[in-house]
Amino acid sequence: MGISNRQPASSRRPPPSGIQPPASTTRHPAFISPLLFLATFSLYALTAAPGTLFGDPSEYQFVPAILGIAHPPGYAFYTLLAKLWQTLVPVSTVAFRTNLLAAAVGAWAVTAVYLIVSEWGFKTTTRNSPLAPLFAALSLAAAPDFWQHAAHANAHIVSAGLAATHLWLLARWWRTGQDRWLAAFALTLGWAATHHPITLMGGPAYALFILAVRPRILRRGRTLLLLAGCLLVGLSPFLYYPLRSPTAPFGPTDMHTWDGFLRHVTARGLRVNLFHFGLADQPDRALVFWSLLRLQFPLPVIGLILVGLIRLARRTPKLALLIYSFLFTHLLFTLNTVQDVIAYLLLPFAALAAVAGVGALALGEFLLGIADSRLQIADSNLRSPICNLLLVLLILPWPLLQGLQDLSRGISLRDFTAAEEWVAAVHQWFDGRGEGAVLLSDWEHLTPLWVHAHTQGEELDEEYVRLIYASTAKPWPTWVWEYIEEGPIYLPDDRAAVRREGFRLVPEGPLYRVVAPPVTDAVPAHPLDVWANGRVHILGYDLPAAAVRAGDPLVLILYQRVPEPMERIWMPYAELGPVEARWTTDSRLLTTQWLPGEVVVERYELPVPFNLPPGEYPLRLGYADLTGGRVALPLSTGGTTVELATITVLPNPDAPPARVRERALANLDNRVALMGARARVGGQVRRAPWEEPLPARPGQPLHLTLTWRALASPQDSYTVFIHLIDGAGRYVTGHDYTPLGGSAPTYLWFPKWLPGQTLTDPYRLVLPADLPPGDYWLEVGMYGMTSLRRLPVVDLAGNLAGDRVILGPVRVEAD
């Protein structure tokens, strides 16, 4: 007699009213999800940053350690979670172990996507296979944006982990009908509310889904009471603020008041960044999303996402309601925000990875249909293995190839030690000097110093230097004037606003010293006594490094002086072997502004060409009269150049292919290539470089789409400029902005653009209504966000060719 697996009628419980669970699915082997978590965590841990990073990542390391309060909205849940992690996982430094927390949360989000797709599984012959859920999880794990956030301390990966948890718990509740999963969802939703408001953007989607699955839930008082209780327990991390704020060693001290509490948790001061774009900008914002989506998932995966969206709508409208509304609210908010866009997109990217898994399930069904109708495999025991084998061959290579590509492009932060080197350099520069200096610093450069001070006991002695946070509440020159009498002032980087105020910025070690002119005490490491045409005295130079990789910049700091005022603009130029660098006058102290007798110290960078063969090359210096048409000036040593040093050029295995450089419209500083530009006014379209003028009328919008390609890891956060200039080269109108409308900074605390990535960057430039008719030209380029110095254009031979790209003429016609 066979053994029945049917339960007695008394033990079977019907699903709660309104729940219609899907057809039963066979659960996947229980060991897969923990193995997936361990594998993903290991990958992220091996590529995690070894210590501090500039900016917010360091704040996320030291604030939990000292139980402070982070910047708005405060991140109470993250702070408590990170403190618990730092206590229970005592490995290495606090900085590194907090980076490991991001790796662990990222691994959990990947695992949650696997579990989501497992819960969404439909009744098919391939339902027993974990391939589709695994494909979805790996697609998210290999997405560059997600991987980058899982390799360093940050709160945004926790936002993604919470959102993935919400979707999984709702899917579990939908499949089982058990309210304990809905209660767990309410608890984690409370945690999310205390973490970051972005996690609540899915709230409308969650509410619609719950009502669609169980329409009568609002009449079930006990259930609502249970959910409310769990939500309140989840909100308990909010109590951290009023309890800790009055004595917090870092952060606001007034969060025990309602005004202080609400101001901070709602990020009142940052609301200007919300809904920045109007209706006319939405096509461009959609193009931005497409560009970023292409960076995260290969085209076949995006194709499966589309298939998954269709399948959800046709087979399970309630799940489609959840996902569609989740994506709509998140994308509508995020794509119309100008801050942390790439971080906020982690949440919809996680949902889209799950949808890709549904697309993979649909592909499995399609393959099964082929096996049934065309291959006519009679043995049902063979159909499923054959379909699974085909699925393995068709879908799993894509996330694996994406991951390998990410590694080859340098996504790993394991060797990224810029912030640690900065901290060491600052300590080395100031320790023991006893000059009572003031280091005026932005947020990005201060936070690594705070990590070392608060978690490793490595504080800077105020007898040597005081750290002052120069916030954006006041302009940089105001900060300088405020502390000008308290001792020597140093800055961490070149600040154009301070230069414009009339101060001199003298490069010294890792810093810039602020000096009221004239500068008289600057001494070069390599003295010279060379005169350019008897007018400019070249006193010497600093050469921080005498070896450089092909493609990287060679830094040269020159010390110069004039005995009498200059009425002409003279500029130095350099030659490295066969390569000539003619620097532009952009953001420099020109000879017409030099004071007689002062020592003028300027920092120059010579981009070494990618195609310069390895070897040793002489570095020569010359001077040119730009007012006289770039005429080379005679030097007192004879000839027009003087040899400074011998430079060793090293091979660069990461150099971009020559075909990429040859196809580019312009190479900006060997960092970024402008691969193409398309301009449109009305129905008229031009592709750069164009010669036939693009017709336009005053008041019309000019749509410009730029295509960038990262040639190497950016060294700075670059701003894109788009200018309309007249025939004399004078600015008429323009638009300066972070790439992709603020959505994709080139460098934010570490390089964001990976070598080889291509980004589509749209702009809408409205011509002034009073623009006079005539011929104009459209120019584009990039400049450093803080220094405002433009990136030079490097030609195919490696020579500098200006600092802008002229796309073509624009002819403005009268109305």
Side-chain angles (χ1 to χ4, degrees):
M1 184 174 68
I3 299 176
S4 173
N5 61 0
R6 297 182 61 188
Q7 292 178 315
S10 60
S11 67
R12 296 198 304 268
R13 295 182 180 178
S17 174
I19 293 283
Q20 295 294 331
S24 61
T25 57
T26 302
R27 305 298 295 157
H28 299 150
F31 63 83
I32 292 181
S33 49
L35 280 182
L36 175 63
F37 174 86
L38 290 174
T40 310
F41 173 71
S42 299
L43 174 66
Y44 292 159
L46 288 172
T47 55
T52 60
L53 295 171
F54 293 114
D56 287 3
S58 286
E59 183 196 13
Y60 294 131
Q61 292 169 342
F62 79 82
V63 164
I66 64 173
L67 288 177
I69 298 176
H71 69 271
Y75 308 98
F77 175 74
Y78 171 83
T79 300
L80 297 175
L81 175 66
K83 179 62 176 180
L84 180 64
W85 175 274
Q86 291 170 347
T87 304
L88 298 179
V89 186
V91 298
S92 188
T93 62
V94 167
F96 178 67
R97 78 180 70 152
T98 316
N99 294 339
L100 290 183
L101 172 61
V105 175
W108 159 246
V110 168
T111 306
V113 166
Y114 171 86
L115 296 172
I116 290 168
V117 182
S118 298
E119 300 293 346
W120 287 355
F122 304 100
K123 188 176 182 181
T124 67
T125 303
T126 57
R127 69 182 183 273
N128 299 337
S129 170
L131 291 177
L134 191 60
F135 164 76
L138 294 180
S139 295
L140 179 63
D145 185 27
F146 194 86
W147 192 337
Q148 283 187 324
H149 281 87
H152 74 280
N154 68 99
H156 301 295
I157 195 71
V158 177
S159 299
L162 286 167
T165 303
H166 296 156
L167 293 174
W168 169 59
L169 290 172
L170 288 176
R172 186 76 170 153
W173 170 71
W174 169 76
R175 193 184 68 82
T176 65
Q178 298 174 357
D179 283 349
R180 57 176 175 162
W181 300 108
L182 194 58
F185 161 77
L187 175 68
T188 59
L189 188 65
W191 289 348
T194 68
H195 174 66
H196 195 287
I198 191 65
T199 59
L200 301 182
M201 287 295 144
Y206 304 151
L208 288 173
F209 178 70
I210 293 171
L211 289 174
V213 172
R214 192 185 295 179
R216 298 181 180 178
I217 193 171
L218 295 179
R219 300 180 185 178
R220 299 176 64 90
R222 293 181 61 182
T223 302
L224 293 177
L225 191 61
L226 171 66
L227 298 181
C230 290
L231 181 64
L232 286 175
V233 172
L235 291 172
S236 60
F238 269 146
L239 296 174
Y240 175 74
Y241 294 137
L243 294 175
R244 184 60 173 164
S245 179
T247 58
F250 185 91
T253 58
D254 63 345
M255 292 190 70
H256 57 293
T257 68
W258 276 112
D259 183 66
F261 178 87
L262 292 175
R263 182 183 64 252
H264 203 74
V265 300
T266 61
R268 192 179 300 169
L270 301 177
R271 294 181 195 172
V272 294
N273 298 315
L274 307 182
F275 299 105
H276 180 79
F277 300 96
L279 187 61
D281 297 307
Q282 296 312 299
D284 284 349
R285 301 312 294 163
L287 185 57
V288 165
F289 175 65
W290 170 248
S291 180
L292 296 176
L293 185 67
R294 284 285 310 272
L295 295 182
Q296 310 311 314
F297 305 114
L299 280 176
V301 177
I302 296 176
L304 288 177
I305 290 173
L306 295 176
V307 172
L309 290 171
I310 296 171
R311 179 191 173 99
L312 283 173
R314 294 182 60 184
R315 296 288 293 274
T316 52
K318 293 174 184 177
L319 283 180
L321 176 65
L322 171 64
I323 293 302
Y324 284 15
S325 52
F326 180 91
L327 292 173
F328 176 78
T329 54
H330 271 285
L331 293 178
L332 179 66
F333 172 81
T334 300
L335 292 176
N336 287 285
T337 301
V338 296
Q339 185 174 356
D340 294 330
V341 172
I342 199 68
Y344 294 165
L345 283 174
L346 292 174
L347 287 74
F349 285 156
L352 288 172
V355 174
V358 177
L361 284 170
L363 179 61
E365 282 189 348
F366 176 74
L367 295 175
L368 181 63
I370 293 178
D372 283 339
S373 63
R374 297 188 180 182
L375 300 181
Q376 297 180 350
I377 301 175
D379 189 348
S380 61
N381 293 326
L382 289 177
R383 288 201 300 267
S384 185
I386 290 176
C387 289
N388 288 334
L389 176 60
L390 290 174
L391 278 178
V392 169
L393 296 176
L394 289 174
I395 65 173
L396 284 188
W398 294 107
L400 298 178
L401 289 174
Q402 176 73 55
L404 291 174
Q405 186 180 59
D406 292 343
L407 286 172
S408 68
R409 287 176 170 174
I411 197 170
S412 173
L413 295 176
R414 185 173 184 175
D415 298 322
F416 188 73
T417 57
E420 291 292 316
E421 293 168 5
W422 153 257
V423 171
V426 168
H427 277 271
Q428 183 178 1
W429 183 259
F430 288 112
D431 284 352
R433 293 175 72 95
E435 59 181 353
V438 173
L439 175 56
L440 282 178
S441 179
D442 55 8
W443 174 259
E444 284 70 21
H445 288 87
L446 271 188
T447 51
L449 293 167
W450 284 335
V451 171
H452 280 257
H454 291 306
T455 70
Q456 296 175 223
E458 300 173 3
E459 297 188 46
L460 286 161
D461 192 330
E462 287 200 0
E463 180 185 349
Y464 304 147
V465 60
R466 288 179 57 201
L467 300 181
I468 302 297
Y469 172 33
S471 72
T472 57
K474 292 184 285 190
W476 275 84
T478 304
W479 285 107
V480 171
W481 285 115
E482 186 172 333
Y483 289 93
I484 195 71
E485 301 294 336
E486 297 196 16
I489 295 179
Y490 292 86
L491 306 180
D493 50 17
D494 190 354
R495 292 281 167 173
V498 178
R499 285 179 177 270
R500 287 197 297 265
E501 189 73 4
F503 291 102
R504 306 296 193 240
L505 297 184
V506 180
E508 291 187 359
L511 307 163
Y512 285 84
R513 181 162 59 98
V514 181
V515 183
V519 178
T520 58
D521 59 348
V523 179
H526 304 279
L528 289 175
D529 184 15
V530 178
W531 286 82
N533 202 28
R535 298 289 305 276
V536 174
H537 190 190
I538 306 171
L539 302 173
Y541 65 95
D542 295 344
L543 192 65
V548 61
R549 287 196 323 169
D552 289 345
L554 177 69
V555 176
L556 177 66
I557 301 172
L558 293 179
Y559 295 71
Q560 306 145 96
R561 183 170 57 194
V562 294
E564 298 176 355
M566 292 279 290
E567 67 283 354
R568 301 172 72 88
I569 297 176
W570 290 8
M571 279 287 292
Y573 65 90
E575 297 174 352
L576 181 64
V579 180
E580 184 178 77
R582 293 267 180 169
W583 293 298
T584 66
T585 58
D586 175 58
S587 300
R588 300 190 186 279
L589 188 68
L590 304 180
T591 49
T592 54
Q593 301 168 303
W594 294 7
L595 299 178
E598 79 166 323
V599 179
V600 176
V601 187
E602 282 278 356
R603 187 179 190 271
Y604 300 89
E605 291 187 356
L606 191 159
V608 179
F610 285 109
N611 58 358
L612 188 63
E616 295 189 343
Y617 297 89
L619 175 64
R620 299 186 178 91
L621 180 71
Y623 249 86
D625 182 357
L626 300 193
T627 308
R630 302 173 67 87
V631 176
L633 299 169
L635 301 182
S636 58
T637 53
T640 56
T641 61
V642 58
E643 184 170 334
L644 302 182
T646 299
I647 303 300
T648 302
V649 175
L650 306 173
N652 186 349
D654 302 320
R659 66 180 184 277
V660 172
R661 304 195 302 272
E662 293 167 0
R663 286 173 35 227
L665 285 178
N667 171 358
L668 303 184
D669 200 28
N670 286 340
R671 301 287 113 184
V672 178
L674 178 62
M675 302 303 297
R678 178 181 180 272
R680 177 179 63 84
V681 177
Q684 296 289 324
V685 177
R686 298 288 186 275
R687 295 186 182 277
W690 65 84
E691 296 181 0
E692 181 184 357
L694 177 64
R697 298 186 190 286
Q700 270 191 302
L702 187 154
H703 297 270
L704 181 66
T705 302
L706 306 174
T707 302
W708 305 106
R709 181 184 174 105
L711 299 178
S713 295
Q715 302 297 307
D716 195 0
S717 187
Y718 303 139
T719 298
V720 177
F721 67 85
I722 300 166
H723 294 165
L724 195 69
I725 58 176
D726 63 15
R730 293 170 299 199
Y731 173 88
V732 175
T733 187
H735 186 62
D736 293 29
Y737 220 78
T738 309
L740 280 70
S743 299
T746 58
Y747 186 106
L748 182 62
W749 311 319
F750 58 89
K752 296 290 188 180
W753 287 18
L754 300 178
Q757 285 184 332
T758 299
L759 298 96
T760 304
D761 191 9
Y763 294 89
R764 187 173 67 93
L765 178 65
V766 179
L767 302 180
D770 58 351
L771 186 63
D775 287 338
Y776 300 88
W777 279 261
L778 198 61
E779 67 171 12
V780 301
M782 288 183 170
Y783 58 81
M785 186 173 291
T786 58
S787 70
L788 304 185
R789 185 164 294 166
R790 291 185 177 185
L791 272 64
V793 177
V794 183
D795 66 20
L796 288 176
N799 303 310
L800 297 189
D803 53 23
R804 62 182 180 175
V805 183
I806 302 295
L807 301 181
V810 176
R811 179 163 295 160
V812 176
E813 303 168 345
D815 288 329

